[in-house]
Amino acid sequence: MRINAPKYLLVADLLSKEISNGFPAVGELLPKESDLIERFEVSRTTIREALKRLVSQGLIETIHGVGTRVVARAQNQSFMLTSRSVSELVSYGAGPTRYLISRRESLVLRPEDTPVLKMPAGDTVLRLAGKRVNRADPDLVVSVCRIYVRKPYLSAVSHDREMDTAVYTQIAEAFDSTIQKIEQEIQAVFVAPEEAELLHATPYSPALQVVRRYFFEDPEPFEVTVNTYPGHTFTYKMTLNRAAKTAS
């Protein structure tokens, strides 16, 4: 515990330690605000600031009319992506995550799908829907993930319900091809109500949507992934180097 820290940090640290030890357990409610004020002998403002900190760490959530519920025993991990080349960006997908598939379906793309997927409307694609979890701790959800694969490459996609190997890696190896280009777009969005429980997040709370399109030589991507991350768990880092001067 940080002895010289503000009171709200001391309270937050102690509550965090108790939660990590299972008291209260995940799914149970914290004591009422008035009880915490009496226990720690601090102001209402101090307790509220401490609880805000635990919310930001992904340990608790406040439910109107119910109380403050514990949603995790440990802080959500922060995932940092550093990329300077296609090979580095591809290697990110081979990190310590596992893809758990909840739905697999064939669908025909609509005109409104084209701006995101950059695949022609009317094409038939395979769509996988599920979540990425930490491989060492499957209860830790990294993102909600949807994957779209063009019809010519469907035979390369594993039928397993759990995948440690990225789909684009499966396709590249099966077709003995090298990924030539990856397009990536990051957009601020809100957590959809149907995804909130999977992400252990509050509906309509801030999130990041990361769209990646993978290309061989064709002008159209062979695969597109759409990942939604809770806003406080994803960090994007890019290194820019000054170009070397050329001789005149």
Side-chain angles (χ1 to χ4, degrees):
M1 184 175 291
R2 293 166 284 197
I3 303 301
N4 296 320
K7 288 183 179 180
Y8 81 91
L9 286 180
L10 299 177
V11 172
D13 281 353
L14 182 54
L15 290 175
S16 175
K17 184 176 180 180
E18 292 177 349
I19 289 171
S20 70
N21 290 329
F23 306 101
V26 173
E28 295 181 350
L29 297 177
L30 283 180
K32 294 180 181 179
E33 189 174 272
S34 57
D35 293 334
L36 293 174
I37 291 173
E38 181 178 352
R39 175 189 171 187
F40 292 104
E41 300 181 340
V42 295
S43 68
R44 186 178 302 275
T45 299
T46 296
I47 292 299
R48 289 183 175 177
E49 288 300 316
L51 295 181
K52 284 181 183 179
R53 182 169 179 81
L54 297 183
V55 169
S56 70
Q57 293 172 345
L59 297 177
I60 63 173
E61 65 177 4
T62 300
I63 305 173
H64 182 69
V66 176
T68 302
R69 184 178 65 181
V70 176
V71 296
R73 290 182 60 178
Q75 292 186 39
N76 287 334
Q77 295 185 8
S78 179
F79 297 88
M80 179 171 288
L81 170 62
T82 305
S83 58
R84 295 186 298 273
S85 66
V86 167
S87 61
E88 290 188 7
L89 189 55
V90 167
S91 69
Y92 174 75
T97 64
R98 175 168 292 138
Y99 186 32
L100 306 183
I101 301 169
S102 57
R103 177 183 291 184
R104 177 189 296 261
E105 60 186 346
S106 176
L107 76 159
V108 177
L109 296 180
R110 305 163 299 174
E112 54 264 40
D113 297 322
T114 299
V116 172
L117 302 182
K118 302 296 177 67
M119 296 176 176
D123 274 12
T124 299
V125 301
L126 169 68
R127 179 170 67 179
L128 305 176
K131 59 185 179 181
R132 290 197 179 278
V133 301
N134 184 286
R135 200 176 299 173
D137 181 6
D139 290 332
L140 179 58
V141 179
V142 177
S143 69
V144 170
C145 178
R146 301 189 302 278
I147 298 178
Y148 300 81
V149 180
R150 283 173 52 204
K151 191 173 182 178
Y153 302 97
L154 302 187
S155 61
V157 181
S158 168
H159 285 80
D160 294 339
R161 303 290 293 186
E162 299 183 4
M163 297 183 187
D164 290 338
T165 302
V167 170
Y168 57 76
T169 299
Q170 298 175 32
I171 295 172
E173 291 178 352
F175 285 83
D176 194 22
S177 299
T178 301
I179 297 173
Q180 299 298 322
K181 181 176 70 171
I182 300 174
E183 291 180 349
Q184 177 168 270
E185 295 178 4
I186 301 177
Q187 180 181 7
V189 297
F190 295 108
V191 175
E194 62 271 18
E195 296 178 339
E197 185 174 354
L198 283 175
L199 293 171
H200 304 303
T202 304
Y204 305 111
S205 59
L208 287 175
Q209 178 178 277
V210 180
V211 179
R212 296 192 188 100
R213 307 181 190 95
Y214 300 86
F215 297 80
F216 290 138
E217 298 290 348
D218 299 336
E220 296 168 358
F222 66 86
E223 177 190 326
V224 178
T225 66
V226 181
N227 281 281
T228 302
Y229 300 83
H232 60 281
T233 67
F234 186 89
T235 302
Y236 178 80
K237 179 181 178 181
M238 178 180 288
T239 300
L240 301 176
N241 294 318
R242 184 181 298 276
K245 294 182 178 181
T246 56
S248 55

